[in-house]
Amino acid sequence: MKTMNTKEMIIDSVKYSLNGKKDFIFFGFLLWSISFIIYITNEYSILGILLFIPISIFLFIEGGYIATIIESTLFGSDTHPEFKNIKDLIWRGIKELLILLVYSTIPIIVLIIAIFEIIIFSDDISTLILLIMFIFSLFFSLVIMQSAIIHYEYKHSKLRTAFEIKTILKKLKNMGFSNLISSFSLVLLFTLIIQPTLSDISENMHPLISIIMNFTILPFLAVFSARFTGLIGRYHFKED
């Protein structure tokens, strides 16, 4: 089976992201709708309460579609999956959120302890140690979470498989340290830093520029990250 290094995976993900056609445009519309609802919520708090359900649905659809990109990539597809069966996309998005919440538990606990340490004791050394622990636990948890999503998509979205920790750790070990660090660091860079930062920037810019970003740059980054994650699974995180 042909393999790809990180550079080739980046090139493939860029090409894939630029070939979305109508599905890519619809994904942009979805992101713009989320951004618009957030803007309305920030301006009018009461409307925010009324719009909680619509924005949740849009977010779940977004997460579900990203999941379908990862799954289709894992099984060899090089074309964009179509937006269809909205109910299924919403359910997949909910399951992705559950996985995120479970694997975020440890770093959140460490962070809470660090905050209490700062407030109550103000001990610089212990606070520094706790913050370092938080950073490492966050990175480790996010790597495990991304790996869990890959493994769970290999198993056709069976939720329990996302928590087969022993199997997931074994596959991470088989990846090799260099592949693990280079691959997942790039995914986390895009999903935790670049995408959220640009999304926040777009919400505070002129509406026309915001629309352009939501229909071009942000969909590109979302699809790129999903495709790249799928390629990690296809070439470096293989099922037995």
Side-chain angles (χ1 to χ4, degrees):
M1 179 181 178
K2 178 187 174 182
T3 59
M4 285 187 181
N5 57 36
T6 301
K7 180 181 177 181
E8 290 171 329
M9 288 163 62
I10 292 173
I11 294 172
D12 178 281
S13 298
V14 169
K15 291 179 179 178
Y16 179 90
S17 300
L18 294 174
N19 290 326
K21 299 180 181 179
K22 63 180 181 180
D23 291 329
F24 185 73
I25 294 173
F26 185 67
F27 195 44
F29 176 76
L30 189 66
L31 292 174
W32 174 80
S33 299
I34 293 170
S35 178
F36 179 73
I37 293 175
I38 291 174
Y39 170 77
I40 294 295
T41 300
N42 291 334
E43 293 294 320
Y44 309 100
S45 301
I46 296 178
L47 278 178
I49 297 173
L50 298 175
L51 294 173
F52 175 77
I53 293 178
I55 194 173
S56 298
I57 292 173
F58 285 148
L59 287 169
F60 290 143
I61 292 173
E62 177 193 355
Y65 185 67
I66 287 174
T68 61
I69 292 176
I70 295 173
E71 182 182 35
S72 64
T73 298
L74 289 174
F75 290 102
S77 174
D78 294 319
T79 58
H80 284 239
E82 295 182 0
F83 274 99
K84 59 182 181 179
N85 196 341
I86 299 300
K87 182 179 177 180
D88 180 61
L89 290 179
I90 292 172
W91 176 231
R92 295 188 70 161
I94 291 173
K95 289 193 288 184
E96 295 276 329
L97 177 62
L98 289 173
I99 295 170
L100 171 64
L101 291 175
V102 170
Y103 283 103
S104 299
T105 302
I106 294 177
I108 288 174
I109 291 173
V110 174
L111 180 61
I112 291 172
I113 294 172
I115 291 173
F116 272 102
E117 173 70 22
I118 293 171
I119 295 173
I120 298 174
F121 299 105
S122 299
D123 182 37
D124 293 339
I125 296 177
S126 59
T127 299
L128 178 62
I129 292 173
L130 283 168
L131 289 175
I132 292 173
M133 287 175 60
F134 167 70
I135 292 171
F136 276 99
S137 66
L138 179 63
F139 180 79
F140 179 76
S141 295
L142 290 171
V143 169
I144 295 294
M145 180 189 72
Q146 291 289 338
S147 304
I149 289 173
I150 292 172
H151 178 65
Y152 138 95
E153 293 297 350
Y154 260 124
K155 300 299 183 180
H156 302 289
S157 305
K158 295 178 181 177
L159 187 58
R160 62 177 178 77
T161 62
F163 306 106
E164 295 176 344
I165 304 296
K166 185 176 179 180
T167 302
I168 292 168
L169 290 175
K170 179 182 177 181
K171 294 184 181 304
L172 277 174
K173 181 180 178 181
N174 292 338
M175 278 185 67
F177 184 76
S178 60
N179 281 332
L180 189 156
I181 295 298
S182 62
S183 299
F184 285 107
S185 293
L186 187 63
V187 171
L188 297 181
L189 173 66
F190 273 87
T191 57
L192 291 182
I193 299 176
I194 297 178
Q195 285 178 249
T197 300
L198 290 179
S199 180
D200 288 340
I201 291 173
S202 72
E203 291 170 11
N204 297 300
M205 298 182 75
H206 187 278
L208 179 60
I209 298 176
S210 178
I211 290 173
I212 293 172
M213 288 186 68
N214 277 284
F215 276 89
T216 56
I217 298 174
L218 295 179
F220 171 85
L221 292 174
V223 175
F224 174 92
S225 299
R227 174 66 174 182
F228 192 85
T229 300
L231 291 177
I232 293 175
R234 188 193 290 185
Y235 296 112
H236 300 303
F237 198 79
K238 302 173 184 177
E239 292 292 292
D240 296 328

